[in-house]
Amino acid sequence: MRYPNRILGLMAILALLLAPVANAGDGVDIKDTIKKSFSVKEGGTLSLDLDRGSIVIRSSSESTVLVEVDRIVGAESKEDAKRILEQHQLEILKKGNDVVVRSRFDQDGFEWTKWRDRDRVKLKVVVRVPAQYNVEFTTGAGNVYAEDVDGMVNGTTGAGNVQIGRVSGRVSITSGTGNVDIDGAMGPVEIATGAGNIRVGEVAGEVVANTGAGNIEAKIMSQPSSRSKLETGAGNVTVYLSDSVGIDVHAETGIGSADCDFGLKVSGRFLSGKSFKGSVNGGGPALTMHSGAGSVSLKKQ
């Protein structure tokens, strides 16, 4: 096949741009590890502000915050890795009773080179915190895992899965895309993801959960003090309810099925939206369940 000169020229430029990436893959991965430890009191806050990278948070019986950061660089040589790491800004410091970890990759120069070098750095942050300590995190892209937290959790990730154990306080999670999984929470829960499944284990309070596409599951075990709302654009919404919890439910789906274990009548026609509403266990705060395309189910726990 013959190509016009203009297309041949564009193909040649593209080949030149891609060549450094291919060469970099022939190099080695060089690991740089940084560790810092801080004595703290219970009740402080761990604040992670990362432009990228995965996060692991573990609980400890000690009054210490231990931070370990692994930076893995795909480089052509040790000198190349050193040059790239010099452009990566990493701060690990203590402010009062709080610990802050901040990561940024800054570089002056040609935008293609800047993007290429930044993409060659992989970051993993592992932190041990006291049993009673709050957690805040922001990462541009990366998975987040946290063990049980005796405090509040507030986090944002641009892309990545979030998995958290049991939390004694309020939980607020936002993800651009990714699954969010929480074993349990003693306080209110608010979760939003652009695309991904949401699961909230035993929650003792109100739940607000929204996903553009994905399933939502929540277990409400104690009486909430205000309204709960669970919505998905495409997927199933399932709520398990304890017999001790009273709510006023309104559940509907644009396309799909609906069922309720508490005797409420399901309305709607075949191949159209289904819905049910009414008081359950004597009534209480509102529970709204909505799926654009999928099932809505209220089940006994």
Side-chain angles (χ1 to χ4, degrees), residues 269-285:
R269 297 181 178 180
F270 180 67
L271 294 180
S272 65
K274 301 290 195 302
S275 66
F276 59 85
K277 62 180 179 179
S279 295
V280 174
N281 296 332

Side-chain angles (χ1 to χ4, degrees), residues 249-251 258-260 264-266 274-278 296-298:
V249 63
H250 183 186
D259 64 274
C260 177
L264 298 179
K265 181 181 178 181
V266 175
K274 301 290 195 302
S275 66
F276 59 85
K277 62 180 179 179
V296 286
S297 304
L298 184 62

Side-chain angles (χ1 to χ4, degrees), residues 42-114:
E42 294 181 337
T45 299
L46 169 67
S47 179
L48 301 167
D49 182 9
L50 313 178
D51 56 348
R52 66 178 58 209
S54 63
I55 298 171
V56 176
I57 300 169
R58 303 191 184 280
S59 299
S60 170
S61 59
E62 300 178 0
S63 298
T64 303
V65 172
L66 176 62
V67 181
E68 181 174 331
V69 178
D70 287 335
R71 299 187 294 180
I72 302 173
V73 184
E76 299 173 2
S77 63
K78 290 184 178 180
E79 291 73 19
D80 188 35
K82 181 180 179 181
R83 177 187 63 81
I84 295 173
L85 287 175
E86 286 175 349
Q87 301 166 57
H88 182 243
Q89 300 177 359
L90 179 65
E91 294 180 327
I92 307 174
L93 50 90
K94 180 181 177 183
K95 292 185 176 181
N97 196 38
D98 302 333
V99 174
V100 178
V101 181
R102 185 176 183 273
S103 166
R104 289 292 183 274
F105 193 98
D106 295 322
Q107 178 191 10
D108 297 329
F110 185 46
E111 186 64 28
W112 171 262
T113 304
K114 179 178 180 180

Side-chain angles (χ1 to χ4, degrees), residues 153-188:
V153 177
N154 185 1
T156 301
T157 176
N161 299 322
V162 178
Q163 182 179 355
I164 301 174
R166 293 181 175 273
V167 182
S168 66
R170 175 183 294 273
V171 178
S172 178
I173 304 293
T174 302
S175 176
T177 176
N179 301 323
V180 180
D181 192 302
I182 299 173
D183 286 343
M186 294 301 294

Side-chain angles (χ1 to χ4, degrees), residues 195-206:
N197 299 322
I198 297 174
R199 187 191 75 89
V200 182
E202 298 181 358
V203 57
E206 55 270 23

